[in-house]
Amino acid sequence: MLTSAEKVAFVLLVIGALSFGGVGFYRVFKAIAGGKPSHRFDRPLQRILSALWIVLTQQSLFNKRPLVSFLHAMVFYGFVYYFLVNVVDVLEGFFPWVPRGGIWNPFNLLADLLTASVLLGIVGLMVRRFLVKPADFKFASNVLLHENVRDGIPRDSAIVGGFIIFHVGSRLLNKATQLALLAHEGPDPFQPVAGYFASFFAGMESGLLEGLEHFFWWGALGSILVFIPYFPRSKHIHIMMAPLNLALKKDKPGVLEPMDFENEETFGVATLKDFAWPRLLDAYSCIMCNRCQEVCPAYVTGKPLSPSALLINERYELNRTSGLRSDDNGEARPLLDFAISKEAAWSCTTCNACVEVCPVGNEQVLHILDIRRERVLMESDFPSGLKQAFQGMETSGNPWGLPVEKRLDWTEKLPFHVPTAEENPHPDVLYWVGCAASFDPRIQKIAISMAEIFQAAGVNWAVLGKQEKCTGDAARRAGNEYLFAEMATENIETLNAVNPKVIVTHCPHCFHTVGNEYPQLGGHYVVKHHTQYIDELVQSGKLRLPKKSAADVTYHDPCYLGRHNRVFDQPRSVVRSLGFELKEPQRNRENSFCCGAGGAQFWKEEEKGKERVSTNRYRELKETGAKTVATGCPFCMRMLTDEAANQEPDPTVEILDVAELVARDLKKTDNDPEAALAPKA
């Protein structure tokens, strides 16, 4: 038990630690609260329970790196229990009492085993960082880093790791010396680890043992008090911020919020103070694991973009300015000076891979898109290739800039008439054709296939025809929010006049934008991707497909269909319903790799790197050995088709949309009575 003087000293240390630590936490709170508003406080109980479940199961961590995740879990579960352990240890120091025997046996056993777990876990993590030094701790030389990052990260890791080892190790030795003092009572089977270390203190004089027990008690609990003031500045703050971030995340991560053009004077983000508060919470939640960097298509192919470096740079700037987000003269530094380079900001494909893999719910892609918005709307500073796309959308309603009269040219290749909404004002299905299928000869084949499928299944359908305009997806991802808002408003007026029962589109970008982002502007519709709708036709019996043996097919998951909207099973179901055997590429479903077209990349030159994103993906798809590459996105189709043409052509490999596979086999049913179409609906 502590002496009276030690008790007073401990209380004073607690007051001092909480005071200095409180100032640090207040600065963090002020920094986050100073961000622009964002509504994230609906469904509080559901949010809290969801976050607790994710944190306590560590499920988001085990998505990648199973061994490292296991080591982290060993530390995590020990520290969760240590909240109670430390309270008991404090009481033990203040009162003449040793928690042993009876109901304390389960408590001591769990504390003892978790103590060993924490020490083994943290030592493993420290060995990995400082001795093994894997590539995921490094940043490419072309990535912009804050001036404090290169030295700050290893120093912070050493301080945090050293604290955990000293704190938990001291607690273990405190219990070991305590057991040595109580050796006359016999061994404690409920403290096997501490009991093992107690053997090293056997035979020591009781006075020395009491001194060591005192020393290690102070080491265990005093180290916490010393660490608390540093805690708000360390990456260890994620143990508080990560659960908060997970509780406050969006239902659909990565969805942009609209701008208030009438009341705002500046648009986008130039400095930290311009961010909405969830972006600042992202920076404090980041655990600096670099998992997002590992899966980023831009970084993997040698571009200067690292999503993790962006958040880490922001955190170090927040720490440098004590959370005030400005220099001593009151001027906040531009993000392009320390957080991300201009080239990196335009390298992002908005594939959402960084958001998908992040164990703490960060939305790195939204940081980048906010920066793009500022570049476009405030500075008119954007890649030259986007200028033509913007002009085309403004003048012709499509990024190709082609006349609206050509929107129905693809229908001339069909042997039947394609009805428009004017001719068929109450269709069961409104087919959103999209700009690519209207103007790109290769992609027109997808629209033709969809028309044949609608006809074969007897669907009552129509298209908007010349009334249809670009959804504005490319404009929004390129930062031109004003142009997006204009196009979306026009399309919503058109769609509201038609009032479709369901909208079907083969383009995941149109699917995502109309389904998830038009509601922000008052457009609420039932929107289905064509693979979802085709699968419904097959499952309902309205469309019967031939079961046949065929070459293997590999399916490429489009980012805006898969990760952004969780549509993984229906495209595969359609492929299998055709009798194909599916051969998955190494990266598939939520771990799929981008084709390189998203984020308006399709309309600009790709930044220089080791290789093109499409090169990396096409190589992986070919490695499956499948003779057919199935896609569910016109832009993926174009990127992979162009990549196949750029490489040594392989006439045995086909790249086809899922709808093309279905339509091709429907034409073979005339001589196959077993695969005849069901009666028309």
Side-chain angles (χ1 to χ4, degrees):
M1 189 175 76
L2 301 178
T3 65
S4 297
E6 285 179 310
K7 291 178 182 178
V8 172
F10 184 82
V11 171
L12 291 175
L13 281 173
V14 169
I15 294 172
L18 293 179
S19 297
F20 283 104
V23 171
F25 282 113
Y26 180 71
R27 285 173 174 167
V28 171
F29 168 76
K30 288 286 287 183
I32 296 173
K36 293 183 178 180
S38 178
H39 181 62
R40 299 288 183 93
F41 299 103
D42 58 315
R43 302 172 288 109
L45 181 60
Q46 181 181 340
R47 286 180 175 277
I48 292 170
L49 292 177
S50 175
L52 283 175
W53 176 251
I54 294 172
V55 171
L56 292 177
T57 60
Q58 295 282 278
Q59 58 181 270
S60 61
L61 204 68
F62 278 92
N63 283 339
K64 296 280 185 179
R65 305 180 191 169
L67 176 58
V68 176
S69 299
F70 178 71
L71 293 174
H72 183 277
M74 292 172 71
V75 177
F76 168 77
Y77 290 117
F79 261 75
V80 169
Y81 193 65
Y82 256 51
F83 284 112
L84 175 60
V85 168
N86 290 327
V87 171
V88 173
D89 288 349
V90 169
L91 294 175
E92 189 177 344
F94 274 71
F95 300 98
W97 161 71
V98 176
R100 187 179 182 187
I103 62 171
W104 290 105
N105 285 337
F107 169 84
N108 285 333
L109 179 61
L110 190 55
D112 189 72
L113 295 178
L114 288 176
T115 293
S117 170
V118 171
L119 288 173
L120 289 173
I122 195 62
V123 168
L125 293 172
M126 295 283 279
V127 166
R128 180 174 182 268
R129 174 173 284 279
F130 293 104
L131 297 181
V132 178
K133 298 180 180 179
D136 49 64
F137 284 134
K138 302 172 183 176
F139 298 101
S141 59
N142 61 347
V143 172
L144 176 64
L145 292 178
H146 190 280
E147 61 267 24
N148 296 336
V149 164
R150 291 201 187 275
D151 294 332
I153 289 180
R155 181 173 60 246
D156 188 39
S157 296
I159 292 173
V160 171
F163 156 69
I164 294 174
I165 291 173
F166 187 80
H167 165 56
V168 178
S170 293
R171 203 269 172 182
L172 173 61
L173 295 177
N174 169 257
K175 288 299 166 183
T177 52
Q178 186 180 83
L179 289 176
L181 279 168
L182 300 173
H184 61 280
E185 296 182 8
D188 185 351
F190 294 96
Q191 298 188 72
V193 180
Y196 170 78
F197 282 92
S199 63
F200 292 97
F201 299 100
M204 284 188 180
E205 296 181 0
S206 60
L208 178 58
L209 282 174
E210 289 177 0
L212 288 174
E213 183 193 15
H214 246 59
F215 174 80
F216 291 130
W217 186 94
W218 275 103
L221 296 169
S223 59
I224 297 176
L225 302 180
V226 171
F227 185 73
I228 284 176
Y230 177 72
F231 185 57
R233 298 182 61 84
S234 76
K235 70 174 184 178
H236 211 49
I237 197 175
H238 77 265
I239 67 173
M240 294 178 62
M241 296 302 177
L244 186 62
N245 207 29
L246 289 167
L248 297 174
K249 70 177 183 178
K250 294 179 178 178
D251 291 332
K252 282 188 175 291
V255 174
L256 283 163
E257 295 182 6
M259 289 181 169
D260 185 354
F261 290 103
E262 293 184 1
N263 299 312
E264 295 286 340
E265 295 183 359
T266 60
F267 307 106
V269 171
T271 67
L272 285 169
K273 67 179 182 180
D274 300 324
F275 275 126
W277 65 261
R279 304 287 74 76
L280 301 171
L281 180 58
D282 283 347
Y284 282 112
S285 302
C286 178
I287 59 177
M288 307 184 188
C289 63
N290 287 3
R291 294 177 184 225
C292 56
Q293 177 177 278
E294 280 185 347
V295 299
C296 174
Y299 188 86
V300 168
T301 56
K303 315 302 190 297
L305 171 61
S306 166
S308 57
L310 171 59
L311 297 192
I312 292 169
N313 289 339
E314 291 174 1
R315 164 90 72 83
Y316 271 85
E317 181 69 1
L318 288 165
N319 282 345
R320 187 185 74 85
T321 58
S322 299
L324 301 178
R325 294 172 286 118
S326 62
D327 288 325
D328 294 336
N329 60 7
E331 294 297 324
R333 286 205 294 175
L335 289 163
L336 294 180
D337 284 357
F338 68 87
I340 188 172
S341 67
K342 189 191 305 184
E343 184 182 5
W346 290 109
S347 299
C348 178
T349 66
T350 67
C351 69
N352 241 32
C354 55
V355 178
E356 176 74 32
V357 79
C358 182
V360 297
N362 287 334
E363 295 179 288
Q364 301 90 326
V365 67
L366 295 187
H367 293 241
I368 295 169
L369 293 182
D370 276 340
I371 292 169
R372 288 185 179 182
R373 284 170 156 181
E374 189 274 338
R375 289 288 89 194
V376 173
L377 298 175
M378 300 301 295
E379 301 295 333
S380 295
D381 181 13
F382 48 86
S384 58
L386 293 176
K387 183 178 181 180
Q388 182 177 349
F390 290 160
Q391 288 177 341
M393 284 185 270
E394 289 170 352
T395 59
S396 304
N398 67 85
W400 274 270
L402 294 174
V404 67
E405 289 75 17
K406 291 185 173 293
R407 273 201 175 266
L408 287 173
D409 283 3
W410 64 275
T411 65
E412 297 174 3
K413 302 174 184 179
L414 287 163
F416 51 82
H417 177 67
V418 172
T420 65
E422 292 178 342
E423 298 166 334
N424 182 13
H426 303 292
D428 292 332
V429 170
L430 180 68
Y431 177 39
W432 186 276
V433 180
C435 300
S438 297
F439 303 112
D440 185 321
R442 173 62 189 91
I443 308 305
Q444 286 178 348
K445 296 178 182 179
I446 301 175
I448 291 170
S449 296
M450 280 304 299
E452 292 170 344
I453 291 169
F454 287 138
Q455 289 296 106
V459 176
N460 175 20
W461 67 292
V463 298
L464 286 177
K466 297 176 183 180
Q467 295 183 75
E468 185 181 293
K469 291 187 175 183
C470 176
T471 62
D473 162 76
R476 191 169 221 195
R477 269 72 206 171
N480 197 338
E481 183 72 12
Y482 187 80
L483 177 56
F484 163 76
E486 281 191 328
M487 304 202 74
T489 299
E490 291 181 24
N491 282 327
I492 289 170
E493 289 178 358
T494 301
L495 289 171
N496 286 347
V498 176
N499 192 24
K501 297 176 183 177
V502 62
I503 298 172
V504 173
T505 178
H506 59 258
C507 178
H509 297 266
C510 298
F511 171 65
H512 176 80
T513 304
V514 177
N516 297 325
E517 298 187 338
Y518 276 19
Q520 299 171 344
L521 302 174
H524 300 272
Y525 315 106
V526 177
V527 187
K528 296 181 181 180
H529 187 252
H530 74 319
T531 57
Q532 293 176 303
Y533 190 73
I534 293 171
D535 189 50
E536 289 179 6
L537 292 176
V538 173
Q539 299 304 323
S540 66
K542 293 181 179 179
L543 193 66
R544 294 173 59 191
L545 302 176
K547 294 283 187 180
K548 64 183 186 62
S549 299
D552 297 330
V553 171
T554 187
Y555 174 68
H556 164 73
D557 286 281
C559 301
Y560 273 79
L561 183 63
R563 269 189 299 272
H564 279 276
N565 286 283
R566 322 310 295 178
V567 178
F568 300 115
D569 296 328
Q570 293 93 329
R572 289 170 169 81
S573 175
V574 174
V575 170
R576 290 193 178 99
S577 68
L578 290 165
F580 290 110
E581 181 177 341
L582 199 62
K583 298 187 71 173
E584 297 282 8
Q586 183 177 356
R587 294 171 293 190
N588 60 75
R589 299 180 71 91
E590 62 269 11
N591 297 316
S592 181
F593 196 71
C594 185
C595 75
Q601 297 296 322
F602 188 83
W603 307 103
K604 56 180 276 297
E605 287 295 323
E606 187 170 324
E607 280 69 25
K608 293 181 180 179
K610 296 181 297 185
E611 62 180 354
R612 292 176 58 83
V613 174
S614 56
T615 302
N616 186 293
R617 183 54 170 170
Y618 182 66
R619 180 172 63 246
E620 181 181 22
L621 293 169
K622 281 195 68 175
E623 286 172 355
T624 65
K627 295 303 181 183
T628 301
V629 176
T631 71
C633 172
F635 295 101
C636 294
M637 163 70 72
R638 174 51 71 187
M639 296 298 286
L640 295 175
T641 301
D642 290 350
E643 189 58 46
N646 291 336
Q647 296 185 19
E648 184 176 347
D650 185 348
T652 65
V653 176
E654 286 185 295
I655 302 173
L656 297 171
D657 187 86
V658 171
E660 291 180 285
L661 287 172
V662 173
R664 184 178 65 179
D665 280 2
L666 284 176
K667 294 173 183 176
K668 298 178 182 179
T669 60
D670 293 340
N671 299 319
D672 184 0
E674 294 294 326
L677 292 173
K680 297 289 189 286

